[in-house]
Amino acid sequence: DVVLTQSPLSLPVTLGQSASISCRSSQSLVYSDGNTYLNWFQQRPGQAPRRLIYKVSKRDSGVPDRFSGSGSGTDFTLMISRVEAEDVGVYYCMQGTYWPWTFGQGTKVENK
Amino acid sequence: EVQLLESGGGLVRPGGSLRLSCVASGFTFSTYRMHWLRQTPGKGLESVAGISADGGDDFYAGSVRGRFTISRDNSKNTLYLQMGSLTTDDMAIYYCAREDNFGTSDYWGQGTLVTVSS
C-alpha cells in the first residue's frame, strides 16, 4: 500500500498567521491518465472528514480561498493563510491514485 | 442536499458478525461508486471496501478481504457492509462515502461505531 507521511503532526498556530502541512508519498501519485489524485481533508472534533482539496490544488465548493494545495509527484503541501478559529482540527492528506486509498497520519492544527 | 446515513453499529463479540447499512439521499445513488472507510485512534483512517455503481464490481482492503462483503440495493438507495469473523482490530467508526468523478470521496456520512469485545 502507498504510505503517506505528514509533517508536522502537531501545529500550534497564532490566529491570523499562516500554516503549512507537508505530505510525502512512498511512490509517485501520477495516475496513468496523467492526473494526480492527492486530496486534503479537514476533520473537526466530533465530525466526519470533509474534503477541502482534490487533485492536488482544486478547492471544493464552499472552501475558503485561504486554503490552497500544491505539489507534484511525491511531495505535496497544504497551506492555510490567515488561520481562523474555525480552522482548528486535524488535517489529512489522502491518495486516490491506487487502491486501497490511503491517508496520512493527520496533522493537528491548534490555537497557540 | 447529499446525505448519507449509516446504521447498524454496536457491540459484538470477537468472531461475531454485523451488518452495516447506509441510506443515501439527495443524489442519483445508482450512478456513483460507493465506499466504506473506517477510523480508529490507533490506525487512523483506512479504506475498507468499494463497489461499482451497478454493484457488479467490488474491491477490498487486504485486512478485510474474505471476511467483509460490500453490496448495494439501488432500488432502496442503500449500501451495505456485511462483516464477519470480527476481531478487536475491526473496532472503529465506520463511514460510508460517495466517490465522485475525481476519484475520491466527496461526501461522507457521520459514521457508526462498531465495538468488538467479549
Side-chain angles (χ1 to χ4, degrees):
Chain A
D1 297 354
V2 174
V3 176
L4 298 180
T5 302
Q6 288 182 231
S7 62
L9 299 185
S10 177
L11 186 54
V13 296
T14 300
L15 298 184
Q17 298 299 307
S18 295
S20 177
I21 302 170
S22 170
C23 175
R24 290 189 168 175
S25 173
S26 60
Q27 59 192 88
S28 172
L29 297 183
V30 180
Y31 188 55
S32 55
D33 63 3
N35 289 308
T36 300
Y37 295 101
L38 187 284
N39 316 279
W40 290 95
F41 287 81
Q42 174 196 63
Q43 188 173 31
R44 293 175 174 145
Q47 295 186 13
R50 167 201 179 198
R51 196 178 68 184
L52 301 175
I53 302 284
Y54 63 94
K55 289 205 297 184
V56 181
S57 61
K58 300 186 183 303
R59 269 190 305 275
D60 273 281
S61 175
V63 174
D65 61 7
R66 62 179 182 275
F67 290 92
S68 62
S70 63
S72 63
T74 60
D75 288 346
F76 305 92
T77 301
L78 175 70
M79 178 74 73
I80 312 172
S81 61
R82 307 179 308 279
V83 172
E84 298 186 6
E86 66 177 18
D87 300 335
V88 166
V90 182
Y91 291 79
Y92 298 92
C93 58
M94 174 262 197
Q95 67 81 21
T97 299
Y98 303 98
W99 179 260
W101 296 342
T102 52
F103 295 79
Q105 318 97 300
T107 295
K108 186 173 185 179
V109 173
E110 51 194 355
N111 192 1
K112 186 184 290 184
Chain B
E1 179 191 4
V2 172
Q3 290 194 339
L4 300 168
L5 184 61
E6 303 95 337
S7 62
L11 174 63
V12 61
R13 296 189 186 280
S17 300
L18 206 59
R19 189 176 85 155
L20 307 182
S21 300
C22 170
V23 176
S25 60
F27 65 101
T28 306
F29 179 72
S30 62
T31 63
Y32 285 86
R33 281 188 178 191
M34 297 294 296
H35 292 257
W36 287 100
L37 303 98
R38 67 187 180 184
Q39 184 172 28
T40 63
K43 292 185 178 180
L45 286 159
E46 297 180 283
S47 284
V48 174
I51 189 167
S52 61
D54 66 1
D57 292 313
D58 54 11
F59 29 98
Y60 300 89
S63 58
V64 307
R65 190 175 295 119
R67 300 188 300 121
F68 290 12
T69 301
I70 188 172
S71 62
R72 64 193 297 163
D73 185 338
N74 285 345
S75 68
K76 296 182 178 179
N77 288 351
T78 302
L79 178 72
Y80 302 100
L81 184 68
Q82 179 68 47
M83 305 187 295
S85 302
L86 286 163
T87 74
T88 54
D89 286 346
D90 298 314
M91 279 204 301
I93 298 173
Y94 283 75
Y95 297 99
C96 72
R98 185 181 84 166
E99 179 180 333
D100 68 1
N101 293 331
F102 305 119
T104 81
S105 50
D106 58 348
Y107 285 96
W108 296 47
Q110 283 305 301
T112 186
L113 178 63
V114 173
T115 302
V116 182
S117 176
S118 54

